[in-house]
Amino acid sequence: MPLPAVATPAPNSKSSYTVQAGVFLHAARAEKLLEQLQQAGIPAYLETRVQIGPFNNKAEADKAIQKLRSMGIEPVVRVQ
């Protein structure tokens, strides 16, 4: 699996970067990659995300955004 070319600021750090090594639907696969990277001496950690959708159009996504905000959740919207 080729590594995506994604570099973002590391958590709680203003002068370092992180590289995303993979995105998985199943936690077990993410944990397997984490273990593989750590055994190779590569500093790695897991993040968890909860995503909703996909939605077929912007109106559906906007409706979901309104619902989340009514629940006190401020969503981050990604366009794919």
Side-chain angles (χ1 to χ4, degrees):
M1 170 178 76
L3 299 180
V6 176
T8 58
N12 303 320
S13 175
K14 295 180 181 179
S15 62
S16 63
Y17 292 84
T18 61
V19 175
Q20 180 174 295
V23 176
F24 303 91
L25 181 59
H26 301 285
R29 291 182 179 167
E31 290 166 358
K32 183 177 178 180
L33 177 59
L34 174 66
E35 183 179 332
Q36 178 184 0
L37 294 171
Q38 290 174 336
Q39 287 178 354
I42 298 170
Y45 59 92
L46 286 179
E47 292 182 337
T48 56
R49 292 189 291 181
V50 175
Q51 298 186 174
I52 62 171
F55 300 100
N56 293 321
N57 55 55
K58 186 174 183 320
E60 288 179 9
D62 287 341
K63 185 175 179 180
I65 290 167
Q66 290 173 355
K67 176 71 171 179
L68 291 173
R69 288 183 175 150
S70 76
M71 297 170 63
I73 300 168
E74 188 56 41
V76 174
V77 179
R78 293 184 357 189
V79 178
Q80 297 181 353

